C-alpha cells in the first residue's frame, strides 16, 4: 500500500509521515530531502541556478541513499547540512527543473517498488503515485507554519525572526505552486487536513484512523 502526504512547508508532513510509517510498519520516504540534496550538490559544485542545463545534469551523477533515517550523498552524510537556510531556498529553485524532477521521480518509484510506503512531498499524490490507495494533503495557516520552522531552527541554535521566515516561506510557496512542472496542489482524491490547531501526534492518529477505516471498508466491499 502507498500512502501519500503532500502539502506546503511547515504543515508537519515529514513528522506525521515518520510517525505514521512507524505505527503502520511501513517504509518512509522524505522526497523533500532529495530535492535538498540536489540543491546542496549544486551549491558545492558552484553551479549557477539559472543554468538549467547544468542543474538538470546534477542528479544524473548522484547517489542518494537513505539509511537509518540519515541521508547520504555519494557516501557523505548530509542529513544536517541540507536543513540550513541556504539549501532550503535553493531547493525550491532546483525543484522547478524538469530533468531534476524526472530523475528524482524515477528514484522515488524505485524506492516504492514492492514495499508498503508512506511518502511525503509536493507531488506524491498527483504525479508520482497517482494510483496510491490513501492520499492526504496537509495545510496550516502561514503564521503557524513559520512558527514551526522557527522552532525547528531554534532547536539547532539558529534564531530567525518570524517576519523573515514568513517572507521566505511566501516566496517558496509561490515558486512551488506556480512552477510549470508538477506544481504543488492537492490530488483530486486527497483528503485535506488543516493541522493549524492540532499536535502532529494527533494528526498522525487521525490519518492512521482514516487509513484503517478505508482498509476495513475495502475488505468488506
Ligand atoms: O519539504 P521540503 O521543505 O524539505 O522540500 C524542499 C523543496 O523541495 C521545497 O521547495 C519543495 C520541493 N519539493 C518538491 O518540489 N517536490 C517534492 N516531492 C518534495 C519537495
Amino acid at each position: 500500500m502507498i500512502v501519500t502526504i503532500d502539502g506546503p512547508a511547515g504543515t508537519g508532513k515529514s513528522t506525521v509521515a515518520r510517525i505514521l510509517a512507524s505505527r503502520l510498519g511501513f517504509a518512509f520516504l522524505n522526497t523533500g530531502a532529495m530535492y535538498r540534496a540536489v540543491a546542496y550538490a549544486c551549491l558545492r559544485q558552484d553551479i549557477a541556478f539559472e543554468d538549467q542545463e547544468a542543474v538538470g545534469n546534477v542528479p544524473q551523477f548522484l547517489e542518494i541513499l537513505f539509511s537509518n533515517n540519515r541521508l547520504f550523498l555519494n557516501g557523505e552524510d548530509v542529513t544536517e547540512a541540507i536543513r540550513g537556510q541556504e539549501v532550503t531556498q535553493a531547493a525550491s529553485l532546483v525543484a522547478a527543473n524538469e530533468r531534476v524532477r524526472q530523475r528524482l521521480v524515477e528514484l522515488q518509484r524505485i524506492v516504492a517498488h514492492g514495499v508498503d510506503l508512506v511518502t511525503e512531498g509536493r507531488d506524491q499524490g498527483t504525479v508520482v503515485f497517482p494510483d496510491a490507495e490513501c492520499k492526504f494533503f496537509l495545510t496550516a495557516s502561514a503564521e503557524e507554519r513559520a512558527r514551526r520552522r522557527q522552532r525547528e531552527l531554534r532547536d539547532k541554535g539558529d534564531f530567525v525572526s518570524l517576519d523573515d521566515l514568513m517572507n521566505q516561506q511566501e516566496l517558496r510557496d509561490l515558486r512551488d505552486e506556480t512552477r510549470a512542472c508538477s506544481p504543488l496542489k492537492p490530488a483530486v482524491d486527497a483528503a485535506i487536513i488543516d493541522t493549524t490547531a492540532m499536535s502532529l501526534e494527533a494528526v498522525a492518529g487521525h490519518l492512521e484512523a482514516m487509513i484503517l477505516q478505508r482498509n476495513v471498508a475495502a475488505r468488506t466491499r
Side-chain angles (χ1 to χ4, degrees):
M1 173 191 257
I2 307 263
V3 176
T4 62
I5 305 182
D6 290 305
T11 49
K13 294 183 307 292
S14 48
T15 307
V16 168
R18 201 184 295 278
I19 298 172
L20 201 55
S22 131
R23 287 199 194 156
L24 296 168
F26 285 17
F28 161 63
L29 180 62
N30 176 343
T31 62
M34 299 170 81
Y35 288 93
R36 286 170 181 270
V38 174
Y40 176 80
C42 288
L43 289 165
R44 282 281 284 265
Q45 293 171 38
D46 257 337
I47 288 172
F49 289 103
E50 309 76 63
D51 187 346
Q52 292 294 323
E53 192 173 338
V55 171
N57 284 336
V58 169
Q60 323 300 330
F61 305 103
L62 283 183
E63 186 197 64
I64 301 175
L65 183 77
F66 290 96
S67 174
N68 290 330
N69 288 328
R70 314 286 306 169
L71 179 64
F72 295 86
L73 191 61
N74 290 344
E76 177 192 348
D77 185 345
V78 295
T79 315
E80 272 84 36
I82 61 167
R83 308 306 311 178
Q85 290 283 80
E86 195 183 9
V87 174
T88 299
Q89 287 307 315
S92 71
L93 294 173
V94 306
N97 183 291
E98 202 167 343
R99 283 175 57 235
V100 169
R101 298 203 75 85
Q102 273 168 6
R103 177 68 185 140
L104 295 191
V105 167
E106 199 176 280
L107 293 176
Q108 290 157 19
R109 290 185 178 142
I110 290 172
V111 170
H113 190 73
V115 296
D116 291 317
L117 181 73
V118 180
T119 177
E120 62 99 345
R122 304 294 191 285
D123 57 349
Q124 300 299 285
T126 48
V127 174
V128 188
F129 303 108
D131 299 327
E133 289 86 345
C134 283
K135 298 183 186 178
F136 299 100
F137 190 88
L138 304 191
T139 64
S141 72
E143 191 171 334
E144 175 60 19
R145 298 196 286 123
R147 277 192 201 289
R148 288 177 185 164
R149 175 80 179 140
Q150 192 180 43
R151 275 197 295 270
E152 184 195 338
L153 289 169
R154 194 183 292 148
D155 287 348
K156 282 191 270 173
D158 276 349
F159 181 80
V160 187
S161 77
L162 207 58
D163 277 353
D164 281 352
L165 287 174
M166 298 260 296
N167 288 337
Q168 291 168 17
Q169 182 176 275
E170 200 177 332
L171 185 67
R172 284 213 297 149
D173 285 353
L174 187 73
R175 275 195 210 128
D176 290 341
E177 286 163 6
T178 57
R179 64 178 176 235
C181 44
S182 311
L184 168 66
K185 61 175 181 193
V188 285
D189 49 351
I192 298 179
I193 317 282
D194 185 346
T195 71
T196 309
M198 292 172 88
S199 74
L200 298 183
E201 271 287 336
V203 177
H206 183 57
L207 301 199
E208 187 183 10
M210 288 176 78
I211 293 168
L212 297 178
Q213 220 172 39
R214 204 168 296 188
N215 266 350
V216 172
R219 272 204 301 271
T220 51
R221 223 176 272 141

